[in-house]
Amino acid sequence: MFDFLAFLAIIILFILLMDTRGRLKRAETTLLEAARRNGALQRGAGPPVPDEEDAGIAPAVHAIAVPVQGQSAAAARATPPAARSADPVETGDTDTRRPAPAIAVAPSPEPPKTPTPAGPPVSLASRFENLFGKTLPIWAGGLTLAIAGVLIVRYAIDAGFFARIFTPGVQIVAGLLFGFGLIGGAEYAWRNEEKLRDIRVPQAFSGAGIATLYAAIMVAANVYQLIGPLLAFVALALVTAGALGLSLRFGPPSALLGLAGGLAAPAMVGAVEPNVPLLAVYLALTIAGLAGVARARRWPWLALAALIGGIGWGLWMVLASAALDVVASLSIGGFVLLLAIALPMIAFDGPRSTLLRTASAVVGALQLALLVGYGGFAPLHWGLFILIAAAGQWLAWRERDFAIVPAISLLLSLALLVAWPDPTPFWFSLIGLSLLIIHALPRLLRMWALPKSLRPTLELCVIALAAAPLTKWHFWSVGDGTLALVALGGALLASAGILRGWSVEGRTSDSRFAWLAATAGTLLVLAILLLIPAWLAPLGIAAVAAALLFFGKVALDPRVERVGAGFVGAALVALVATSRALVELPRLIEGADGADGMASIRWGGLAAAALLFAVRGEGAIVRRLGQVAAALFAYGALAQFLPANILMLVPALGGTLMLLATRRVDFKRVDGAAASFAALSLAWAALPIGIWSTKATLSLVGVPMQFDTALLTIEPLLLRLLLPALLFAIPLWLMRDALPRWLWIAALSIAAVVGGIAIHSLYRLGFAAMAGDDFAATGILQRLVWEALLIGAGWFAMMRGMTGAARPLVVAGTAHAVFYGLILHNPLWSAQAVGGWPLVNLLIPLFLLPWLGLTRMPALFAKAPVELDRAIQIATMLLALGFAWATLRHFFHGALLAQPGVTDAENILRSILILALALGFLLWGIRAKRHDWRIASLVLMIGAAGKVFLFDASGLEGLARIGSFVALGFSLIGIGWLYSRQLAPDRADPAPASA
């Protein structure tokens, strides 16, 4: 099947080649003909007549050559350029050209140009033929011969009927003779180059001969054991030397074929399990020889190919050998070291040599890491890995461009140490210390050398941090003291890096110092935590944080200070992570039943550490974080022995002290603490604010706002809302000139809102206690008193010149009166008692308070818009109309205006009332010269007329109907008379002339 597909592919390729060649030939002919004709036209010849063969290109050439329509070719050639370029004259729909003056100028003949002879262009078909017809077949033939040599030997092995004739010795001798014969043929072809005239023939023969000799020697050694390892080594060395010489003589193809045959020989004849040492020696010699040739002839591609093949064989030897003895392990280790370190240093040179050498070293380290894992983590394999790790450090020490090699080696070392199953303490300590010295010592020695690089410092930090976890991972029962010593050892390693860089110039602007300090601090914290009781863990971390703060000041490095601040955060984590947190954290909300000295020490110690950062910190961020942490920890310390009713006031008192402290210190030194205490105070106020907000939201849709005394009592309103709001508001008002204006306004607004919620809640609870909670009976009175308090307080503040405080009070009172009293719970459609006495009831204040609030609005704003006055006038009309309507309703229905039913007398009086209001609006509009009132009068008049005609007259009989019409008539007459008499000046005004 494969043969058929290959044959079919060859046929298709041949057809495509022939078709492409024909197309290229036709295109080339066409282009040459077009170029010839174009050249003839430029010399002045007329356009040629296309024949049948050039029918495809002739029209295009003819279109280029033919002159403009209306002139013959001869006339175009005889006309001077000035005449031919004259502008056309457009006349109507025709396009004519103005003829130039008839000046006969004979063109001067130009001498014919002699074409420069050029070689024929190399076509794509020629290149294709040269590649696939000349070059590749010879090289493919040489490779085929090499493979044939190997297959002959392999076939002799597999064919049992040739066993008596082709004995092993005969097979080996035949293979050697065949190989030498191929090399002899290459030499003969080389010496007769004049006859062959193709250097590729000796190259192919020499490469095939080398590959055959490699295969014959490998079979004699591995399959038939006809020769010993020493003799095989000598024979392979001789073949390698011969390959080197032939490659230098015959060029790169010979070396390439020798590489292919040499690397393929073990696979072709490796039916029996190979001898790993012998295979390693063979591959090492082969690759070394090829690398030497590559170096001598400057063929880096040959060295790269040899190394890739060697890496593949090395990986196969590691993975395919389940149990390796000492000799095999050393053979693989030596082979990997040769490929990873020695050969790249010899073979590669140039701009990309560093990348290739680095890749080789990294791959070699990976192979030896696999060897350690597959070999059962034997000490010998560890030794080989340590050796290549040391070689990687030597490379990085020799050239800085190899810095990635030790980094990869470090990662592999840590991975192997983690994956090491059941190591003994002796071998773990020995190998661990060896890797520690190899990886840490070079980094420590060159960490502060120029140019600056953060990676060695980070790698040293990883080494220092990894010791203790690895020890605990493999020896879980290790004592805390021993593990603390390991952690201290890591801290000393990081400290050594700090000491080496202490006197380095520019250290204060280098982040490496802070990384080392953070590592040393972390390991010191670990050692402390292993030695002290668990409940003291936060204090131990806080002590290290304070030490880092002062150490950063001594070192003049602000980064160390920020590292110490991070340790304060770690102390908080340790505080809430211990079992005592289950007892201490609930006290932050519930308070304490009694004093807990141990808990107070824990929280107080962290507060003291945070206070150090707040006071002694240099950075603004560190100081603010210290303030925040100090405030929170101080509150937590007080929560461990104060009851809840006192603990509620602690944040407000603390915030007051911080605000008052701004008289002596800059506000930026206490702003974080003040904000923290404010946040704690708001947290205490969250529950009553949440209850009030829920009730207020429901009141927007008509649900009466009634508080459950079981959830909201006077004590939390005073302790959680009102007193904290006052405690914050008083110093804020006193410090208004020392604070940023936006901050002062925002903080005072929050305090005012919280205090307002408290006052409103206390008012509702007190009113319900005195007057009851019957919404229908007391709803209007309860709202009126609250609205009067708001508007009155706003008016008082306005009289005192405190417009900023008056504005929200008046706006809130007026909006409350309009929305709740006149829209949502208006007694005309809501069951709200207004009182039994006519005119002496709650209707007057119900409609008067919104009017008072609205009329105070313009005075609250420095630049009140013009539309505000018009809106106030319209609202006044509506309030007057609503009051008159409600008062008429009260005469017939008493305290509850929303009772159903309308009597005939009430209906007639409604019409009369509308007419009376219309008359009053008109009179007031005339007197006050308010056009809006006159328009409202007309609207009421039209409404009254419509009511009488459409509703009143249809429902009345007899005198009632007559009376309604009489009243309406007189009213209309009276309004008209008023308009005619009182508005006469308006009519006397000059008016624009009508058209």
Side-chain angles (χ1 to χ4, degrees):
M1 183 65 179
F2 178 80
D3 297 339
F4 172 76
L5 292 177
F7 179 71
L8 182 60
I10 292 172
I11 293 175
I12 294 173
L13 181 61
F14 180 77
I15 293 172
L16 291 176
L17 176 61
M18 296 303 294
D19 182 71
T20 303
R21 184 174 181 181
R23 289 176 180 269
L24 290 173
K25 184 64 176 177
R26 289 194 297 271
E28 183 180 1
T29 303
T30 303
L31 291 175
L32 289 176
E33 182 67 17
R36 182 183 62 79
R37 295 179 179 178
N38 189 20
L41 288 176
Q42 291 179 358
R43 290 191 298 269
V49 180
D51 53 11
E52 295 180 357
E53 294 180 356
D54 298 327
I57 194 170
V61 178
H62 184 69
I64 298 173
V66 174
V68 181
Q69 185 178 4
Q71 294 181 351
S72 63
R77 289 194 299 270
T79 305
R84 289 198 301 267
S85 61
D87 294 336
V89 179
E90 295 182 3
T91 305
D93 296 332
T94 62
D95 185 7
T96 63
R97 297 184 181 272
R98 182 178 299 159
I103 300 175
V105 178
S108 60
E110 296 181 0
K113 296 181 181 180
T114 304
T116 303
V122 181
S123 63
L124 180 62
S126 300
R127 294 179 180 178
F128 186 85
E129 289 176 344
N130 183 62
L131 178 63
F132 288 94
K134 297 179 180 179
T135 305
L136 293 183
I138 295 177
W139 291 354
L143 182 60
T144 304
L145 288 176
I147 297 174
V150 178
L151 290 177
I152 288 172
V153 179
R154 182 63 179 270
Y155 182 77
I157 297 171
D158 296 336
F161 61 90
F162 284 117
R164 289 176 294 178
I165 300 174
F166 294 100
T167 60
V170 174
Q171 297 173 14
I172 299 303
V173 171
L176 293 174
L177 292 176
F178 183 70
F180 284 122
L182 291 174
I183 295 174
E187 183 66 22
Y188 176 80
W190 175 265
R191 293 178 181 273
N192 295 275
E193 183 181 359
E194 296 180 355
K195 296 180 180 181
L196 294 176
R197 297 181 180 179
D198 197 333
I199 190 60
R200 289 181 291 270
V201 174
Q203 290 174 348
F205 278 116
S206 64
I210 292 169
T212 303
L213 292 178
Y214 277 133
I217 295 172
M218 288 298 298
V219 171
N222 280 350
V223 179
Y224 295 130
Q225 288 82 35
L226 296 178
I227 56 177
L230 181 59
L231 182 58
F233 175 79
V234 173
L236 291 172
L238 292 174
V239 174
T240 302
L244 291 175
L246 293 174
S247 298
L248 295 174
R249 183 176 181 84
F250 298 124
S254 179
L256 181 61
L257 293 173
L259 169 68
L263 293 179
M268 298 297 293
V269 299
V272 184
E273 182 177 353
N275 187 336
V276 173
L278 185 60
L279 180 60
V281 171
Y282 160 72
L283 291 172
L285 290 175
T286 303
I287 296 171
L290 292 167
V293 173
R295 176 75 176 188
R297 299 297 298 271
R298 297 185 180 275
W299 295 337
W301 56 269
L302 181 62
L304 180 61
L307 286 178
I308 293 174
I311 290 170
W313 274 111
L315 184 62
W316 178 83
M317 284 189 289
V318 171
L319 299 178
S321 302
L324 297 175
D325 55 10
V326 176
V327 178
S329 299
L330 291 175
S331 301
I332 296 176
F335 176 71
V336 173
L337 288 172
L338 178 69
L339 265 64
I341 305 298
L343 290 181
M345 300 298 296
I346 298 173
F348 297 130
D349 192 11
R352 298 183 181 179
S353 59
T354 301
L355 178 61
L356 296 174
R357 293 173 184 175
T358 301
S360 300
V362 171
V363 173
L366 288 171
Q367 287 182 319
L368 288 184
L370 289 175
L371 179 64
V372 173
Y374 275 85
F377 295 87
L380 177 61
H381 301 157
W382 273 114
L384 294 172
F385 182 79
I386 291 172
L387 187 60
I388 198 170
Q393 291 290 350
W394 173 77
L395 285 175
W397 189 277
R398 183 172 177 267
E399 297 183 23
R400 290 188 176 273
D401 294 334
F402 292 99
I404 190 64
V405 176
I408 299 297
S409 178
L410 174 60
L411 294 177
L412 291 175
S413 301
L414 294 176
L416 288 174
L417 289 174
V418 171
W420 193 354
D422 299 328
T424 61
F426 172 77
W427 284 112
F428 181 80
S429 302
L430 180 61
I431 293 172
L433 289 175
S434 301
L435 291 173
L436 175 65
I437 294 172
I438 289 173
H439 289 298
L441 186 59
R443 291 175 170 86
L444 190 61
L445 294 177
R446 300 193 64 179
M447 180 182 302
W448 298 99
L450 295 176
K452 296 179 181 180
S453 178
L454 182 60
R455 182 166 56 190
T457 303
L458 296 179
E459 292 171 357
L460 186 68
C461 295
V462 170
I463 294 171
L465 293 170
L470 282 173
T471 303
K472 187 67 175 179
W473 171 259
H474 288 295
F475 309 102
W476 189 258
S477 59
V478 65
D480 291 342
T482 304
L483 197 61
L485 290 176
V486 176
L488 287 176
L492 289 176
L493 179 61
S495 300
I498 294 175
L499 290 176
R500 282 191 55 81
W502 186 264
S503 58
V504 174
E505 184 179 358
R507 172 186 55 78
T508 56
S509 60
D510 197 335
S511 63
R512 293 178 291 180
F513 199 82
W515 280 102
L516 292 171
T519 303
T522 302
L523 292 170
L524 183 60
V525 164
L526 179 59
I528 292 174
L529 295 181
L530 290 171
L531 298 177
I532 64 175
W535 71 276
L536 286 176
L539 298 181
I541 301 175
V544 175
L548 287 173
L549 172 64
F550 291 106
F551 178 70
K553 289 184 173 297
V554 174
L556 302 177
D557 193 341
R559 295 179 180 85
V560 179
E561 179 182 284
R562 293 195 286 269
V563 171
F567 276 86
V568 176
L572 174 61
V573 175
L575 182 70
V576 301
T578 56
S579 58
R580 291 190 56 84
L582 299 176
V583 179
E584 296 171 359
L585 291 178
R587 293 174 182 165
L588 301 178
I589 301 174
E590 300 171 358
D593 297 332
D596 188 345
M598 189 177 296
S600 300
I601 291 174
R602 283 159 50 90
W603 289 84
L606 295 187
L611 186 61
L612 279 176
F613 283 88
V615 176
R616 300 298 303 274
E618 298 294 337
I621 296 178
V622 172
R623 288 199 306 268
R624 283 190 172 88
L625 291 177
Q627 295 173 32
V628 172
L632 296 177
F633 289 140
Y635 170 79
L638 294 175
Q640 306 307 316
F641 60 86
L642 290 179
N645 55 355
I646 299 178
L647 189 63
M648 296 177 186
L649 296 176
V650 167
L653 293 173
T656 302
L657 293 176
M658 294 299 103
L659 292 174
L660 293 176
T662 56
R663 291 184 173 185
R664 297 185 178 272
V665 299
D666 187 8
F667 177 69
K668 295 180 180 179
R669 306 291 295 188
V670 297
D671 54 356
S676 299
F677 284 126
L680 289 172
S681 185
L682 288 175
W684 274 108
L687 180 60
I689 289 177
I691 295 174
W692 183 90
S693 300
T694 302
K695 296 294 185 180
T697 303
L698 292 175
S699 70
L700 296 176
V701 294
V703 179
M705 194 174 182
Q706 296 176 347
F707 294 110
D708 187 357
T709 55
L711 295 176
L712 195 63
T713 59
I714 297 177
E715 182 179 2
L717 290 174
L718 290 174
L719 298 180
R720 296 190 182 197
L721 298 181
L722 186 59
L723 288 179
L726 291 175
L727 288 174
F728 274 102
I730 292 173
L732 282 172
W733 183 260
L734 295 176
M735 299 295 106
R736 59 185 179 276
D737 296 330
L739 301 179
R741 181 170 178 80
W742 67 269
L743 180 62
W744 176 76
I745 293 175
L748 197 62
S749 299
I750 294 174
V753 170
V754 174
I757 291 174
I759 293 174
H760 182 260
S761 302
L762 290 172
Y763 167 76
R764 294 300 299 265
L765 291 175
F767 189 90
M770 291 186 298
D773 56 356
D774 187 357
F775 180 71
T778 62
I780 293 180
L781 181 62
Q782 179 266 329
R783 289 194 300 274
L784 287 175
V785 173
W786 176 249
E787 293 157 4
L789 289 174
L790 290 176
I791 298 175
W795 175 81
F796 177 80
M798 186 170 57
M799 293 297 102
R800 294 290 181 178
M802 297 183 293
T803 308
R807 189 179 296 121
L809 292 173
V810 174
V811 171
T814 305
H816 192 280
V818 171
F819 180 75
Y820 286 101
L822 300 179
I823 297 176
L824 197 62
H825 299 297
N826 194 310
L828 290 173
W829 53 76
S830 178
Q832 299 280 278
V834 298
W837 291 88
L839 299 178
V840 184
N841 50 47
L842 298 178
L843 289 177
I844 295 178
L846 181 65
F847 289 91
L848 182 62
L849 275 177
W851 179 77
L852 291 175
L854 289 172
T855 54
R856 301 282 81 79
M857 289 290 180
L860 298 176
F861 300 95
K863 296 181 179 180
V866 180
E867 292 79 7
L868 179 60
D869 180 69
R870 186 175 186 182
I872 293 174
Q873 297 300 321
I874 295 174
T876 303
M877 299 176 202
L878 295 175
L879 290 173
L881 179 61
F883 172 73
W885 194 277
T887 302
L888 177 62
R889 184 75 174 169
H890 183 271
F891 278 111
F892 288 92
H893 297 279
L896 293 177
L897 309 183
Q899 293 180 358
V902 178
T903 63
D904 293 340
E906 181 183 359
N907 194 22
I908 295 174
L909 289 176
R910 283 181 177 179
S911 302
I912 297 174
L913 177 64
I914 296 174
L915 291 172
L917 288 173
L919 181 61
F921 284 7
L922 178 61
L923 293 174
W924 176 253
I926 295 171
R927 180 179 179 181
K929 296 183 179 181
R930 292 279 188 177
H931 186 259
D932 295 333
W933 288 82
R934 300 201 301 264
I935 296 300
S937 171
L938 292 177
V939 172
L940 290 177
M941 182 184 64
I942 294 172
K947 179 178 182 298
V948 170
F949 278 101
L950 297 177
F951 300 100
D952 296 349
S954 61
L956 298 177
E957 298 291 340
L959 293 177
R961 175 181 293 184
I962 296 172
S964 63
F965 278 96
V966 170
L968 178 61
F970 278 110
S971 299
L972 295 175
I973 293 172
I975 292 173
W977 178 79
L978 284 174
Y979 265 96
S980 63
R981 296 284 296 176
Q982 299 296 332
L983 299 183
D986 293 344
R987 294 194 304 272
D989 293 336
S994 58

